[in-house]
Amino acid sequence: MPKRIVILSGAGLSAESGLGTFRDKDGLWTKYDLSEVATPEGFAMDPAKVHGFYNARRANCLEAQPNAAHEALSQLQAAWGADLTLVTQNVDDLLERAGAREVIHMHGELTSALCASCGHRWTAPRAMDPADPCPACAQPATRPDIVWFGEIPYHMEAIETALQMAELFVSIGTSGEVYPAAGFVQEARIVGIPTLELNLEPSSGSGLFTDARYGPATEIVPAWVAELLEGSSGSS
Ligand code: OAD
């Protein structure tokens, strides 16, 4: 039974909660131009458009409810404690609303606002506007606290440390198209630990995993968690 587990999740984890994925048919990047709404250059060009995009994501998120996969991961964390590291590329708070704590949001969070001028962070209002002043320095330089393409993801040191110590790496609901997250499976292989893909279908990097299960997250994640919890109670 693996003790230290690192789980990386992506948009597929929240898909059945009604939040769109990015690269599937009808995904967000088929409707929006990524370079316009998810890059620093796009924000400099048209901040109102970028705020509009994330305001819509925030509104969707507020309407959504955690699903059985979020609940299962929260349950696993309750049993595994600090030996489980939950890393997500998702900017929603559905894991937290299912009870999970200390979730590492490597691509930022919709619930947070960031001042591009002084670096201050605060709770994002439902709708952000380019003219909003920063509560700390009063500059109208507020941006969503989201990591855009071309920016460095958050908490990379903590993630690298957890990967080095891990005994199992699990990837859930991510296409493995965006680095550095897409490279975590290779890092886990170098460490020499088992790697498991839980996804609707094989991702482009599926061949890198030592084990895989395919199906909707709300089915395969609770089933996998139940096996782990059963195994751990049997071995104690
Ligand atoms: P993608 O849209 O690239 O991939 C979603 C994955 O989830 C695909 O492999 C789907 O097959 C799978 N999937 C869809 N529905 C599922 C379900 N019900 N159950 C299980 N799996 C399902 O999303 P991400 O990999 O999360 O970054 O994208 C990574 C990053 O690219 C995002 O964080 C975002 C995006 O551009 C930024 O915006 C910086």
Side-chain angles (χ1 to χ4, degrees):
M1 193 56 49
K3 202 162 161 263
R4 288 183 298 275
I5 304 175
V6 174
I7 296 178
L8 169 71
S9 56
L13 177 68
S14 299
E16 290 161 87
S17 292
L19 301 185
T21 62
F22 296 95
R23 294 173 184 79
D24 291 311
K25 187 176 156 286
D26 298 328
L28 286 167
W29 296 153
T30 67
K31 296 177 192 138
Y32 296 89
D33 183 338
L34 180 161
S35 67
E36 288 180 1
V37 297
T39 62
E41 295 77 15
F43 187 62
M45 191 90 78
D46 192 343
K49 178 184 257 182
V50 176
H51 275 302
F53 175 74
Y54 288 101
N55 287 344
R57 307 279 75 72
R58 197 175 297 110
N60 288 352
C61 183
L62 281 167
E63 283 164 17
Q65 296 301 325
N67 65 46
H70 298 107
E71 308 278 358
L73 293 180
S74 162
Q75 208 187 341
L76 183 62
Q77 187 185 50
W80 247 246
D83 284 330
L84 176 68
T85 304
L86 288 173
V87 182
T88 190
Q89 299 167 91
N90 296 346
V91 294
D92 66 60
D93 61 353
L94 295 180
L95 275 169
E96 284 86 350
R97 280 159 54 194
R101 294 291 167 262
E102 312 282 336
V103 180
I104 299 179
H105 284 272
M106 64 181 292
H107 289 169
E109 296 175 72
L110 286 167
T111 51
S112 178
L114 170 67
C115 176
S117 178
C118 75
H120 180 68
R121 286 189 163 83
W122 67 101
T123 302
R126 288 175 87 97
M128 292 176 69
D129 184 275
D132 290 342
C134 165
C137 74
Q139 288 295 315
T142 70
R143 55 167 282 179
D145 194 1
I146 303 288
V147 177
W148 289 321
F149 286 90
E151 297 182 320
I152 298 168
Y154 297 152
H155 314 297
M156 285 307 295
E157 227 179 280
I159 298 169
E160 296 296 344
T161 304
L163 280 170
Q164 292 302 318
M165 309 273 291
E167 294 168 358
L168 173 67
F169 171 72
V170 186
S171 172
I172 301 177
T174 175
S175 61
E177 296 286 341
V178 177
Y179 283 82
F184 293 168
V185 61
Q186 274 125 323
E187 291 183 43
R189 282 172 68 100
I190 292 167
V191 175
I193 58 173
T195 52
L196 169 66
E197 173 165 80
L198 300 176
N199 208 42
L200 191 58
E201 59 200 5
S203 67
S204 54
S206 60
L208 295 166
F209 290 86
T210 56
D211 194 9
R213 297 181 190 190
Y214 298 115
T218 55
E219 290 173 20
I220 60 175
V221 175
W224 171 70
V225 166
E227 281 171 35
L228 268 187
L229 293 176
E230 217 168 280
S232 74
S233 68
S235 64
S236 63

